[in-house]
Amino acid sequence: MRERIRHLLLNWLIFGLCYPIANLLAQQEQRQVQRSLAIDLDASIPFLPWMVLPYASAGLLFTLVFFLVRSAEQLRVASRRLTLATVTGCLVFVFFPARFSLSRPVVADAVPATLFHWLELVDQPFNQFPSLHVAYCVIIWCALHPLCHGAVRALLAAWLLLVAASTLFTWQHHLPDVAGGLLWGAVTVRAIRPGATRRHTVAFHYAIMAALLVLLGVGALRSWFAAYAAVSLLLVAAAYHGRYAGFLRKRGGRHPLCAWLLFWPYLAGYWLTWMLVRLRERRQAPFVRQAPGLWTGRRLSDAEARSLPQGCHVIDLSGELAEAPALRRHGYSHFPLLDLQAPRPGQLLQVLAALARLHENGVPVYLHCAMGYSRCHLIARLYMRKRRQCPIRSTS
């Protein structure tokens, strides 16, 4: 339930941030936003005030899908599809704005009039192509229709069709907007496929952060630095998607100039996080002894490195932080593993083999990643499980 609520709140937060900003940017330039995608057939579509009820019910559908899917994988798939549709759709709204070309008649009935009034508070007639209502209907149908049968499936189909049709009969969208929403939803469903969401979690989040930087930084603030940071995060997302652990090209414990030019925001973020971790854990030891001759922890400062055992060989699993100069001068090996993502079996075997060679020679080892939370402990657990009795001589 916590995961369902977390995904729901994240999606509502992204929608509540991106959708109004896209509308606001177009509203500020409404004199320039004259583009309309209306076709001749749009003029013959009647205005039906009561269709605002199914139109408003889209928010309920949007919420229910997070509680109706059954497995964690179905939850991740539905959540990411909705997130992707929201962010990319809003990018189109910002950089390809269009406006509704007809003037909505005055609504006399109290309930529809109230709903239209609420609608106008948050939805100006600029976020047109593609229709997110329609894109959401496609995504929700793909998420829920395998889980229901018979009359329930027919009721779901009727509800979603009614919501999609309401975008036309409430005079919120034109026919090309609806067609664009159908296409946008189908592309989103195709882009996020079941079975791969856990492996591509980090890549997806970096890609969404890049899109948000473009939307908020470039679209709203006109910041070239935001564009630069967005490109950098997209490159990080591509590296994670391709599971390329050496994308930062760290050699001898240091990053080349090209890595800093391409990934400066990413590297700076890790450096800042490392300093905050040091501050938070300043009363704790920076590394711990896991077994005779084996210590694990985070990236050390020069002062912290001096407290390691004499002759300690360093195995560095992080690609994100430059190694302390005091440790680069002695025995040092670098086996980069991607953070927050399971390593490939070949990468694990490579690190474990290096540990075994050092163990056989009785060399003490300091095994570390960036923050000392996951990668080094994973390798240490695997190694100690494989070799319950370490042949290393204790050096402490």
Side-chain angles (χ1 to χ4, degrees):
M1 183 57 66
R2 285 196 300 269
E3 281 297 297
R4 294 176 188 273
I5 293 174
R6 185 178 67 84
H7 281 282
L8 172 63
L9 292 178
L10 179 62
N11 271 270
W12 272 119
L13 176 64
I14 290 174
F15 180 87
L17 182 67
C18 297
Y19 194 86
I21 285 179
N23 245 324
L24 180 62
L25 292 175
Q27 188 178 8
Q28 290 174 348
E29 302 178 8
Q30 56 183 315
R31 293 182 180 179
Q32 287 77 33
V33 181
Q34 300 297 333
R35 183 188 299 111
S36 174
L37 302 181
I39 60 177
D40 293 339
L41 190 58
D42 282 302
S44 63
I45 296 176
F47 176 68
L48 304 178
W50 282 98
M51 286 295 281
V52 73
L53 293 174
Y55 187 88
S57 74
L60 177 60
L61 273 170
F62 188 96
T63 300
L64 284 176
V65 70
F66 293 93
F67 299 96
L68 295 178
V69 292
R70 294 172 183 168
S71 69
E73 176 66 6
Q74 291 171 350
L75 177 63
R76 284 193 296 267
V77 168
S79 176
R80 291 185 191 178
R81 285 172 176 174
L82 292 170
T83 298
L84 184 62
T86 300
V87 174
T88 54
C90 288
L91 283 173
V92 177
F93 297 154
V94 169
F95 295 103
F96 188 74
R99 66 185 303 158
F100 193 78
S101 62
L102 303 175
S103 297
R104 187 184 295 134
V106 176
V107 179
D109 294 334
V111 173
T114 301
L115 290 175
F116 274 113
H117 175 69
W118 289 346
L119 186 60
E120 289 169 357
L121 294 177
V122 297
D123 196 5
Q124 298 300 315
F126 299 108
N127 292 353
Q128 292 295 299
F129 180 90
S131 167
L132 282 183
H133 264 67
V134 176
Y136 291 157
C137 286
V138 173
I139 294 168
I140 292 169
W141 171 253
C142 291
L144 297 184
H145 90 272
L147 310 180
C148 54
H149 305 280
V152 176
R153 180 181 287 187
L155 180 62
L156 174 65
W159 189 357
L160 292 172
L161 287 172
L162 200 58
V163 170
S166 70
T167 63
L168 296 172
F169 293 112
T170 56
W171 284 17
Q172 285 290 116
H173 286 280
H174 295 301
L175 282 166
D177 306 331
V178 173
L182 288 170
L183 177 62
W184 213 259
V187 169
T188 303
V189 168
R190 181 71 179 175
I192 307 295
R193 306 301 297 273
T197 60
R198 185 182 292 277
R199 189 171 73 247
H200 295 148
T201 292
V202 182
F204 177 81
H205 288 156
Y206 275 117
I208 291 299
M209 284 192 289
L212 290 174
L213 272 174
V214 173
L215 178 65
L216 305 177
V218 180
L221 303 177
R222 309 296 183 191
S223 168
W224 286 105
F225 178 78
Y228 163 65
V231 171
S232 179
L233 292 183
L234 275 178
L235 291 174
V236 174
Y240 268 89
H241 188 271
R243 304 180 73 183
Y244 178 39
F247 72 100
L248 292 168
R249 300 188 179 278
K250 182 175 168 182
R251 296 290 184 273
R254 306 176 71 177
H255 297 108
L257 178 61
C258 64
W260 277 102
L261 291 175
L262 289 175
F263 301 106
W264 183 86
Y266 175 75
L267 294 172
Y270 261 89
W271 189 262
L272 177 61
T273 304
W274 176 77
M275 288 193 293
L276 292 174
V277 168
R278 282 190 67 201
L279 179 64
R280 186 184 67 180
E281 299 178 355
R282 60 189 179 277
R283 293 184 176 86
Q284 301 177 25
F287 53 87
V288 295
R289 183 173 180 267
Q290 298 287 354
L294 178 60
W295 290 261
T296 60
R298 55 172 167 79
R299 188 264 187 196
L300 301 178
S301 66
D302 263 1
E304 293 167 337
R306 296 189 190 102
S307 60
L308 285 172
Q310 188 71 24
C312 193
H313 188 99
V314 176
I315 295 182
D316 180 5
L317 305 177
S318 73
E320 307 87 12
L321 295 173
E323 187 59 277
L327 296 182
R328 294 201 301 264
R329 304 189 194 102
H330 305 291
Y332 174 78
S333 302
H334 181 224
F335 300 97
L337 303 180
L338 291 173
D339 197 10
L340 304 173
Q341 184 162 305
R344 294 178 185 271
Q347 294 173 309
L348 293 175
L349 291 175
Q350 191 178 23
V351 183
L352 293 173
L355 261 175
R357 287 194 301 269
L358 293 165
H359 253 178
E360 289 168 2
N361 294 322
V363 178
V365 176
Y366 179 53
L367 177 70
H368 79 88
C369 50
M371 310 302 162
Y373 292 148
S374 57
R375 287 169 284 185
C376 61
H377 289 294
L378 168 67
I379 298 296
R381 284 198 304 270
L382 290 174
Y383 187 72
M384 289 188 293
R385 185 184 304 168
K386 185 177 180 181
R387 305 186 74 174
R388 295 294 182 183
Q389 295 181 346
C390 298
I392 282 188
R393 296 188 305 271
S394 178
T395 59
S396 59

